[in-house]
Every structure is written in structure tokens, then in C-alpha cells.
Amino acid sequence: MNQFAKSVLVVALFPLILTACGKKDEGAASTAAPVAATAAGGEAATCSTVKFADIGWTDITATTALSSVVLEGLGYKPESTIASVPIAFAGLKKGQIDAFLGYWSPSMTPIVDPFLKEKAITVLDKPNLVGAKYTLAVPKYAFDAGLKSFADIGKFTKELDGKIYGIEPGNDGNKLIADMISKDAFGLKSFKMVESSEAGMLTEVSRSVKDKKWIVFLGWAPHPMNVQQDIAYLSGGDDFFGPNYGEAKVLTVTSNELATRCPNVNKLIGNLEFNLDMEGQVMLPIMDKTAPNVAAKAWLAKNPASLDAWLSGVNTIDGKPGLDAVKKYLGV
């Protein structure tokens, strides 16, 4: 089964997975008495399992893996569930997911806004990544031949076979492409959006580049695609993807109850801050089929200085100094 099929299967089984993970009685959630801590000064027993949502993007897989390795070193048992963007936020709202490290702002904002209006989730003020971008891209040879902006796409309908390649269904980028087509923005009403997955789209890009065919697709940074392929980003998509080539910041989202139920976990989640180079280095081995946690653990072992800020004020699950425990876990 390929990765996209696996992701679809997991999304389809998402409610059952959450039940198996121990879904709480939602009606009693706000009145439940605190569970006794595992040890004096430690975290509550119900905090031992920390549940992340992963939307199947390699960058989110990488940051989730980095966070999970640190939590393992602190004595927690992190779990990651593959889900579409809407399902991830629904899981956060219901308290079935504890944290999501991949709210790309502003492109995901239309999906997130209804949850914010209900005050159903908590978005942390500090981004976990700045300097990201997310917009349409093309191979450099197409760019050099005149496909330089969104306004140029319609001029090359034949060369592009009337298609724009997106990623998984339910993704915010796909929605932006669909909106452009439905509104005939840039004269794109005759175009078709091709939904697939991150891996599926990138496979199509690789094939096109190999054959020197033209293709326009969702591109973003951080991502190894920026070094694995010679690509260029299109200008002029500000009204849909935002200014400066879809410049984005990535925000952390938690369930509303995490801060009070598991303050130590919440402290770590709030401390997490990544950068483009870090994520790119962790993503490369993941895309070469290395298990995410293995790639993350190897990177952290080589770059333990990152832990200082992440573990400031953070303890192990049983209340001991967190930094020492994680370094010991990593063997550094």
C-alpha cells in the first residue's frame, strides 16, 4: 500500500483510532476532577500519552518527530495520527488530539477561523517557524520560457495540459486553487485541479522534470523539493496565497484543556521553535524512507544545543530536570 493510500485509510479509521486511544466523555470533560500525579512534583497520569495530529506533510512529520523524541526522553509516550487538516482541528476541538504543529498562516486561516470563533481550540501566540512560503511553483525551464507569474498560467494551457497539481483532499492549498478556478481568476476557468498527496504530487513533478514537460504545482519551503529539483515560484498570487510568494508563519495549536491538564507538556509545546535549515535536514532522510523518529533522534544527537531553549522550565514526567534526562536519552 502506498503512503497516500495509508493516509486515506488512517483518516477513514480516525474515529476508531481515537476511541482506541481513550476518548473521554465529552460531557464530563469540564467537570472531571484532576487525576493524581504520578509522583510528587510530576505530571498527572493521564498526561503520559501525548497525541499529535500529522497531516502527512513531510515538514510537519519532521517537527512532530522532533517533539516526540524529546517527549520520549522525558518519559512520555507520544502518538501521532495521520489526518486531513479539517479532521485534525476537529480532533483538537474534542480533546482527542493534544497538539498540532502545522497551522500554516495565512493559508489555513479560512479552515481555522470557525474553530477560533467557537473558542474551541488554542492557538499559541509564538510561531514555531517563520520565513516559510507556500504558493504555486514550476520547473525552472518553464519559468525561463515565460511562465513567471499566476497571470501567465492561462497563456500556457496547452503546455500544462490544463492542470494544476495539488496535494491531499481537504488541504488549504487545494481550496485556494479551486477558488481561483471557480472565480476564473487569471483566466483559469478551463483548468482542472489534480488532487493527490505530497508524495504523489512530487512524483509527478519528478517525472515531468525528467521528460522536460511543463507542470505547475503547490510548492513550499521548508521542503527538500527546493534542493532536489530546480524550481521557481510564481509571483502575483497575493490575493490567494498572500504576499511575498505566500510568505507564511507556522503556528502551534493545542486542545483548550492541555495547559491546565498537562502543564509540563504544554510548556514544552510552547517552547518549540524550529528553523528552515533544521527542518530541511530532518526531512531529507524521512523522504529517503528513514523512520521519522529515527531521523529526528539522529539530528538531535548531533545538535543538542537546540534542546536548551526547548527544555527551559520543562521537567520529566516524574518531576526531574528535563534537559539532563533528554540528553541522557540521546546519548550526548
Side-chain angles (χ1 to χ4, degrees):
M1 185 183 294
N2 63 32
Q3 185 61 42
F4 179 61
K6 288 179 181 177
S7 298
V8 172
L9 177 60
V10 173
V11 170
L13 295 176
F14 186 74
L16 296 177
I17 294 170
L18 293 174
T19 300
C21 290
K23 179 181 177 182
K24 297 186 302 181
D25 182 343
E26 293 170 18
S30 62
T31 58
V35 179
T38 57
E43 196 89 281
T46 53
C47 299
S48 61
T49 299
V50 181
K51 292 170 283 187
F52 288 97
D54 180 350
I55 56 174
W57 297 8
T58 309
D59 59 305
I60 308 306
T61 298
T63 55
T64 300
L66 288 165
S67 309
S68 296
V69 168
V70 174
L71 283 165
E72 288 172 353
L74 295 171
Y76 294 89
K77 298 176 181 178
E79 296 179 352
S80 181
T81 299
I82 299 291
S84 67
V85 174
I87 290 178
F89 283 104
L92 287 160
K93 173 183 176 179
K94 294 178 180 179
Q96 298 163 335
I97 292 294
D98 295 312
F100 173 51
L101 304 176
Y103 168 16
W104 277 63
S105 174
S107 64
M108 284 186 188
T109 298
I111 296 174
V112 179
D113 271 348
F115 295 95
L116 292 177
K117 289 177 181 177
E118 293 179 41
K119 298 183 178 179
I121 58 175
T122 298
V123 178
L124 304 190
D125 292 334
K126 183 183 73 173
N128 66 54
L129 179 71
V130 295
K133 61 182 174 183
Y134 186 44
T135 190
L136 294 182
V138 297
K140 187 64 163 50
Y141 53 81
F143 183 88
D144 291 340
L147 181 44
K148 299 178 182 293
S149 73
F150 278 60
D152 294 326
I153 298 173
K155 301 174 185 176
F156 298 101
T157 303
K158 182 179 179 180
E159 290 85 348
L160 296 167
D161 195 26
K163 296 175 182 177
I164 300 175
Y165 285 80
I167 45 180
E168 76 280 350
N171 169 263
D172 53 301
N174 289 11
K175 183 180 184 302
L176 295 175
I177 295 170
D179 286 347
M180 289 193 302
I181 293 172
S182 67
K183 295 175 180 177
D184 193 23
F186 313 108
L188 297 178
K189 66 180 178 181
S190 66
F191 273 72
K192 175 184 177 182
M193 177 178 61
V194 180
E195 291 188 313
S196 179
S197 65
E198 176 190 313
M201 181 195 74
L202 292 174
T203 296
E204 194 65 37
V205 172
S206 295
R207 288 172 181 165
S208 297
V209 170
K210 182 180 178 181
D211 296 335
K212 294 297 181 183
K213 292 183 178 179
W214 286 36
I215 184 171
V216 59
F217 57 94
L218 277 172
W220 63 91
H223 196 282
M225 73 173 82
N226 295 281
V227 294
Q228 292 174 326
Q229 304 288 355
D230 191 8
I231 64 175
Y233 290 87
L234 302 183
S235 63
D238 297 20
D239 290 344
F240 292 89
F241 286 88
N244 196 22
Y245 297 91
E247 184 175 10
K249 56 185 177 181
V250 184
L251 301 168
T252 298
V253 188
T254 69
S255 64
N256 281 343
E257 63 171 16
L258 184 65
T260 53
R261 183 172 66 85
C262 307
N264 190 58
V265 172
N266 192 71
K267 176 64 175 174
L268 170 66
I269 298 297
N271 283 351
L272 294 173
E273 193 169 353
F274 312 104
N275 60 58
L276 298 177
D277 182 61
M278 174 195 302
E279 292 194 24
Q281 289 183 43
V282 179
M283 281 188 274
L284 274 171
I286 292 174
M287 294 190 71
D288 286 335
K289 309 303 180 184
T290 298
N293 279 26
V294 172
K297 191 171 184 179
W299 189 90
L300 286 168
K302 293 179 181 178
N303 300 274
S306 299
L307 298 170
D308 293 344
W310 293 1
L311 291 167
S312 177
V314 177
N315 297 320
T316 63
I317 192 170
D318 55 359
K320 298 175 183 177
L323 183 60
D324 293 342
V326 175
K327 285 186 174 181
K328 182 178 179 180
Y329 177 70
L330 295 171
V332 298

